[in-house]
């Protein structure tokens, strides 16, 4: 599905675009010339299906390079310790000494993804490949425009470069320095990095810039907030990956999959929750910054939990399937990031009984990752979950993307330094004593209220028809999307056959 130009509508592209024969032919030629093979969603879901020649090729390619083989690393089954897929995605199970709850909180590590060390590269691949193989994107003509608050834009630029087209990153100027440094290394044309006013919550400013870019018909806007292939990619790939983690952690200690937690952001990752609910009747928890409590209180403002956006409800958020909304303060994520990445913080964790080896793994958690964990703790306490309950969530990226932000927080909050006393206070305030507040149970009335909030963005501002907006209220409509993944896999196989590309020449 995609957003066309004005007037906009939701359109299903499960079959070939009859006007896209030239685009498809140009894409086939480009991919044949560059020997690019596209992975099917079924392969990203289950890398045990990879053939021996592909596994051999992966051994020879670094995961951070712009090599077509890295498309076959756009999944959760990567590890820093080996070049080929692992049996179970890397994850951390947080102990009660850290979480203050007996519920088992399990975190999948997104910084194992290739090229950008964040799981948003999966969303970018999902959005572009669905257009490419149905004749709706010509890599020899079109520029792929990636509106984002950071990681999705980087993922889009990486996917674009591999696929031989120009990628344009549109993101707020206030994002972390590390994001822009990465873009500087990957972008060939400086004008393809567009900085919009504001920070995380300034999503409308991104949309406004995309509206300007859309006047040039060679630009294709791949808006993660409205591209349903983002939702479907996570349903098809992230959901099963989290299921494999759940089966692993409960193989010796049986438990139920009580909840899935994810910050809303574009709402793409929440699609994994739909998969888990379909499979295990798992409850879905959507998280937002307390400083911008859009879903909680119809609120507005600004925040620093980089990666989750706000001030609107994404078109691809399946609101009427969401069970709980939780607010988390950016002061907590800012300061816990300092604690998890300093010797004094690690010493404080050890004094609390946290194993030092596990403490050292907390560097795998970026801002939104910490946000997800705090929300998981709140949900566990709210529902009074115990040791027979598992909550799964994701670490979108790692702390390495926030070194410059950490310096700012140190100057702002700890100008005299961050010693053991400060560390103890931060952990006690933001982790040990997590309050069960700013939580909303999504009964029918609240689901309708939050769903209706999307009207102002998508109907009034972005031109979606009221009928297309409304049909998303029904779970039957969302269920009808699922078969698109299998249809796209067929198209990908046909595309690969047309290119004749191989993993090794």
């Amino acid at each position: 599905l995609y957003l066309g130009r004005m007037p906009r509508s939701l359109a299903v592209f499960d079959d070939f675009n009859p006007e896209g024969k030239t685009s498809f032919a140009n894409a086939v030629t480009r991919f044949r010339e560059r020997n690019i093979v596209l992975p099917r969603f079924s392969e990203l879901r289950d890398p045990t299906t990879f053939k021996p020649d592909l596994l051999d090729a992966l051994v020879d390619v670094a995961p951070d390079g712009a090599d077509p083989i890295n498309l076959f690393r756009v999944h959760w089954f990567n590890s820093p310790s080996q070049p080929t897929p692992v049996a179970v995605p890397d994850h951390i199970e947080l102990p009660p000494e850290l979480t203050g709850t007996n519920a088992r909180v399990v975190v999948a590590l997104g910084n194992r993804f290739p090229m950008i060390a964040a799981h948003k590269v999966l969303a970018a691949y999902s959005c572009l490949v669905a257009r490419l193989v149905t004749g709706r994107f010509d890599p020899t003509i079109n520029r792929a425009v990636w509106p984002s608050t950071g990681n999705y834009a980087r993922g889009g630029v990486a996917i674009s470069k591999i696929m031989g087209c120009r990628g344009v990153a549109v993101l707020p100027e206030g994002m972390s320095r590390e994001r822009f440094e990465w873009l500087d290394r990957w972008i060939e044309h400086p004008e393809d990095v567009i900085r919009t006013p504001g920070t995380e919550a300034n999503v409308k400013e991104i949309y406004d810039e995309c509206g300007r870019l859309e006047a040039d018909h060679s630009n294709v806007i791949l808006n993660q907030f409205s591209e349903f292939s983002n939702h479907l990619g996570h349903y098809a790939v992230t959901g099963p990956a989290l299921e494999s983690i759940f089966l692993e952690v409960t193989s010796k200690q049986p438990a139920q999959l009580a909840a899935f937690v994810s910050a809303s952001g574009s709402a793409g990752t929440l699609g994994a929750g739909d998969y888990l609910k379909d499979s295990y009747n798992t409850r879905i928890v959507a998280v937002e910054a307390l400083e911008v409590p859009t879903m909680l209180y119809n609120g507005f403002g600004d925040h620093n939990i980089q990666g989750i956006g706000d001030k609107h409800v994404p078109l691809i958020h399946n609101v009427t399937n969401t069970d709980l909304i939780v607010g988390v303060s950016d002061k907590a994520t800012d300061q816990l990031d300092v604690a998890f990445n300093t010797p004094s913080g690690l010493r404080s964790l050890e004094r609390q009984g946290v194993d030092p080896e596990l403490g050292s793994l907390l560097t795998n958690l970026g801002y939104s990752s910490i946000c997800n964990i705090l929300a998981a703790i709140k949900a566990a306490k709210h529902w009074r979950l115990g040791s027979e309950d598992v909550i799964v969530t994701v670490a979108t990226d790692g702390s390495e993307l926030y070194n410059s932000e950490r310096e700012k927080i140190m100057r702002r909050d700890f100008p005299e330094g961050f010693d053991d006393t400060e560390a103890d206070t931060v952990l006690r305030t933001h982790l040990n004593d997590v309050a069960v507040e700013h939580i909303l149970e999504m009964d029918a009335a609240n689901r309708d209220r939050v769903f209706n909030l999307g009207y102002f963005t998508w109907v009034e501002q972005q031109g979606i028809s009221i009928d297309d907006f409304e049909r998303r209220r029904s779970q039957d409509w969302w269920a009808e999307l699922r078969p698109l993944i299998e249809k796209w896999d067929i198209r990908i196989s046909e595309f690969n056959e047309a290119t004749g590309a191989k993993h090794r020449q």
Side-chain angles (χ1 to χ4, degrees):
L1 297 102
Y2 74 110
L3 283 172
R5 292 182 175 83
M6 298 291 285
R8 301 177 189 269
S9 65
L10 298 185
V12 178
F13 50 91
D14 59 334
D15 53 9
F16 191 79
N17 175 19
E19 299 178 357
K21 293 181 179 179
T22 300
S23 296
F24 186 85
N26 288 343
V28 166
T29 300
R30 173 63 56 87
F31 278 50
R32 181 186 298 124
E33 292 171 347
R34 301 196 175 202
N35 198 42
I36 302 170
V37 182
L38 295 173
R40 298 186 300 274
F41 288 96
S42 60
E43 293 175 296
L44 299 177
R45 169 184 178 137
D46 181 11
T48 63
T49 61
F50 287 0
K51 295 180 179 179
D53 64 330
L54 171 56
L55 296 175
D56 291 342
L58 286 168
V59 171
D60 297 329
V61 174
D64 58 352
D67 191 299
I69 204 68
N70 275 329
L71 293 176
F72 286 83
R73 286 190 168 113
V74 181
H75 57 70
W76 289 89
F77 293 81
N78 301 297
S79 171
S81 62
Q82 69 178 65
T84 54
V86 294
V88 180
D90 279 359
H91 60 278
I92 303 171
E93 181 167 351
L94 303 178
E97 293 82 4
L98 184 69
T99 64
T101 174
N102 287 325
R104 301 172 64 186
V105 178
V106 181
V107 188
L109 300 181
N111 63 354
R112 277 32 176 177
F113 275 80
M115 297 171 288
I116 70 168
H119 86 305
K120 286 285 190 173
V121 71
L122 169 62
Y125 177 77
S126 301
C127 291
L128 186 53
V129 74
R131 290 171 176 266
L132 185 77
V133 299
T134 57
R136 289 174 169 84
F137 187 87
D138 186 339
T140 69
I141 298 173
N142 296 134
R143 291 200 309 170
V145 179
W146 305 94
S148 167
T149 55
N151 284 333
Y152 175 77
R154 294 194 305 124
V157 165
I159 295 297
S160 300
K161 189 166 187 175
I162 285 177
M163 291 189 178
C165 64
R166 283 179 67 176
V168 179
V170 183
L171 70 167
E173 61 188 354
M175 302 309 296
S176 71
R177 185 182 69 204
E178 287 78 8
R179 284 170 164 80
F180 289 106
E181 289 174 344
W182 184 96
L183 288 167
D184 289 341
R185 295 193 299 270
W186 279 71
I187 287 278
E188 296 179 9
H189 306 278
E191 65 270 25
D192 288 345
V193 178
I194 299 175
R195 295 166 169 83
T196 56
T199 55
E200 272 306 307
N202 296 98
V203 177
K204 182 181 182 297
E205 289 78 358
I206 299 171
Y207 291 168
D208 291 344
E209 178 61 23
C210 287
R212 184 188 69 81
L213 292 169
E214 203 172 29
D216 181 345
H217 286 198
S218 68
N219 291 327
V220 175
I221 313 299
L222 294 125
N223 187 343
Q224 62 170 332
F225 301 92
S226 57
E227 292 272 332
F228 285 86
S229 45
N230 178 5
H231 165 89
L232 288 172
H234 283 295
Y235 185 97
V237 178
T238 301
L242 298 176
E243 178 182 33
S244 71
I245 293 174
F246 168 70
L247 294 175
E248 171 68 16
V249 300
T250 58
S251 60
K252 296 181 180 178
Q253 184 181 349
Q256 65 174 338
L257 186 48
F260 167 72
V261 176
S262 178
S264 59
S266 70
T269 309
L270 284 167
D274 289 62
Y275 172 87
L276 296 173
K277 176 171 279 193
D278 288 347
S279 303
Y280 296 93
N281 199 31
T282 303
R283 286 174 286 192
I284 300 172
V285 181
V287 192
E288 63 183 359
L290 186 58
E291 286 72 18
V292 190
T294 304
M295 294 183 287
L296 279 170
Y297 308 125
N298 292 23
F300 53 88
D302 196 11
H303 71 89
N304 192 45
I305 308 179
Q306 299 193 19
I308 72 171
D310 277 326
K311 281 200 296 196
H312 82 310
V313 178
L315 194 70
I316 66 170
H317 184 178
N318 186 2
V319 172
T320 57
N321 206 32
T322 302
D323 300 288
L324 198 72
I325 306 295
V326 175
V328 172
S329 172
D330 64 2
K331 185 174 183 179
T333 55
D334 285 346
Q335 295 190 357
L336 284 172
D337 171 76
V338 174
F340 293 164
N341 290 275
T342 54
S344 52
L346 296 179
R347 287 193 298 269
S348 182
L349 287 167
E350 189 172 355
R351 286 193 296 274
Q352 293 187 11
V354 176
D355 184 274
E357 184 175 351
L358 186 143
S360 67
L361 293 175
L362 299 181
T363 58
N364 291 287
L365 309 177
Y367 282 175
S368 63
S369 311
I370 298 171
C371 173
N372 285 342
I373 289 169
L374 294 177
I377 295 170
K378 283 191 172 189
K381 291 183 175 181
H382 172 72
W383 282 321
R384 299 181 180 179
L385 302 181
S387 59
E388 70 283 358
D389 299 300
V390 172
I391 298 180
V392 294
T393 187
V394 298
T396 299
D397 55 25
S399 65
E400 62 274 7
L401 282 174
Y402 305 96
N403 293 333
S404 60
E405 294 297 309
R406 193 173 308 114
E407 294 171 2
K408 295 178 185 177
I409 303 306
M410 287 291 291
R411 291 194 296 269
R412 184 193 72 189
D413 295 349
F414 310 107
E416 303 301 321
F418 191 76
D419 58 18
D420 285 26
T421 300
E422 296 278 8
D424 288 343
T425 300
V426 165
L427 292 175
R428 181 177 63 254
T429 303
H430 300 307
L431 196 59
N432 307 138
D433 299 329
V434 172
V436 186
E437 59 184 3
H438 306 299
I439 291 175
L440 178 69
E441 285 276 3
M442 293 288 276
D443 58 16
N446 280 322
R447 283 174 170 169
D448 279 341
R449 178 186 65 79
V450 175
F451 183 94
N452 293 342
L453 283 177
Y455 170 88
F456 304 100
T457 296
W458 300 109
V459 178
E460 290 197 343
Q461 294 178 14
Q462 300 300 316
I464 293 291
S465 74
I466 188 64
D467 289 341
D468 282 337
F469 177 80
E470 276 290 334
R471 69 186 63 192
R472 300 160 38 259
R473 203 183 294 266
S474 168
Q475 289 309 303
D476 291 340
W477 184 85
W478 292 89
E480 291 171 359
L481 298 183
R482 314 299 184 218
L484 280 176
I485 288 292
E486 295 179 2
K487 293 182 179 181
W488 289 338
D489 270 0
I490 293 171
R491 295 292 179 189
I492 291 171
S493 294
E494 293 172 347
F495 186 88
N496 286 337
E497 184 176 352
T499 67
K502 304 295 181 182
H503 296 304
R504 287 184 179 275
Q505 290 188 348

